[in-house]
Each structure stands twice: as C-alpha cells, then as structure tokens.
Amino acid sequence: MAKEFGSRADMLSSKIDEVSRNRIWEEHCTKEVSKLQMNTHFAINDPTKMDCLPEKPNLVFPKVRLSEGDVEIATTKLSAVCSKKDVHLDPSEKHPLPMTTSQEYGWIHTALVKPNQMFAHKLNSCDITRYANAYYSMSGTTPFSKKEASSPKG
C-alpha cells in the first residue's frame, strides 16, 4: 500500500530548489559552529571522592647508604643461598617433591614404556640431499634455485 501523504520535510523539499536548500544547510552549520566553545575550566567537586592510582609496587627511593663491607657480606650470603651449581638441573632433580601445585603435573617426565625400535625412524639422507647440502655450504645457494642471467658487459 502506497503512502498517501509524505512527511512535512518531503512536502517542503519539493518546493525548495537545490541552491536554497544548500543555503539553508550552510546557515544551519554556521549557527551550530558559532555556539561551539571549548571548556577550559576544570574543577573537581569533591577531591576526596576522586579515584587515585597508587604508585608502582617496585618504586623505591633508597635512603640508606650501605658500606662496601655490608654489600660484600650480603653478596656472599646471597651466593651461598642461591648457588649456581644446580642451574642446569631440572626441578625434579633438584628437589625430592614438587614445590608448588603447578609443578605436580609433569613432575615425573620419564617415559613409562621404552620406545619400540619398530617405530623408530632415524633421519637418513639420500645422495641428492647430501649433494644439495654440500652445494649450499659451498656456494650459499641451493642447486635448485634459478640462476640470474648475467648481462653482457659492453
């Protein structure tokens, strides 16, 4: 079912030509821009209700100066407590039991069943791949890459 009557804007727009409609829009925009102004005044109604962010937890203002002897004593004590002898070991080799609950998963990481030799496929290379590896180590490019055509010098 078709509309019998359009909106009021539809009735008016058919009576106004394109130049007049553009002039009306220009006046509207000019009026709107003239009312815009930047608010440069900033005030807090109640400063006690303002959200404040705390300082970073690792922010430190050192006020105590240690002597060289105190620093040396602390360094030796720290090295005794945190020795580097077990750095290469896994946690399960360093400690008899897991230290945290997250370490319980995977604490025993040795294989439960020995690997079957039937399924052990070692990486063997054929003559072509050995040739390609040797070629690459000598020339820096593979033998299968396209060679750039050398332009005749003249």
Side-chain angles (χ1 to χ4, degrees):
M1 181 175 177
K3 281 180 148 183
E4 293 180 14
F5 299 103
S7 67
R8 186 165 185 222
D10 289 339
M11 288 187 287
L12 291 176
S13 66
S14 63
K15 296 177 185 176
I16 299 175
D17 63 334
E18 212 43 53
V19 174
S20 300
R21 189 177 302 133
N22 194 13
R23 179 67 183 151
I24 291 170
W25 179 248
E26 183 184 352
E27 289 174 2
H28 171 75
C29 291
T30 307
K31 182 179 175 184
E32 187 174 340
V33 167
S34 68
K35 300 294 181 189
L36 290 176
Q37 83 182 52
M38 180 76 81
N39 184 8
T40 58
H41 176 68
F42 176 77
I44 299 172
N45 293 338
D46 189 4
T48 58
K49 293 182 180 178
M50 186 173 69
D51 292 333
C52 294
L53 297 175
E55 293 293 336
K56 292 183 178 181
N58 58 352
L59 179 67
V60 177
F61 297 110
K63 297 177 183 170
V64 179
R65 293 283 181 198
L66 298 175
S67 66
E68 290 183 21
D70 292 338
V71 172
E72 188 176 328
I73 291 170
T75 305
T76 56
K77 190 174 199 177
L78 185 63
S79 65
V81 173
C82 303
S83 64
K84 297 179 183 177
K85 63 179 178 163
D86 296 336
V87 172
H88 65 283
L89 298 176
D90 291 333
S92 60
E93 296 169 349
K94 290 181 194 175
H95 310 288
L97 295 174
M99 303 302 282
T100 63
T101 55
S102 297
Q103 289 179 340
E104 289 178 5
Y105 294 100
W107 187 256
I108 301 172
H109 59 275
T110 57
L112 298 176
V113 180
K114 292 183 180 179
N116 190 346
Q117 293 300 319
M118 183 172 73
F119 301 110
H121 301 287
K122 295 181 180 177
L123 183 63
N124 295 328
S125 58
C126 64
D127 294 338
I128 297 171
T129 55
R130 282 193 295 262
Y131 170 75
N133 287 337
Y135 188 93
Y136 182 77
S137 64
M138 285 190 322
S139 65
T141 180
T142 64
F144 311 109
S145 62
K146 292 183 179 179
K147 308 283 191 263
E148 292 183 15
S150 60
S151 60
K153 294 182 180 178

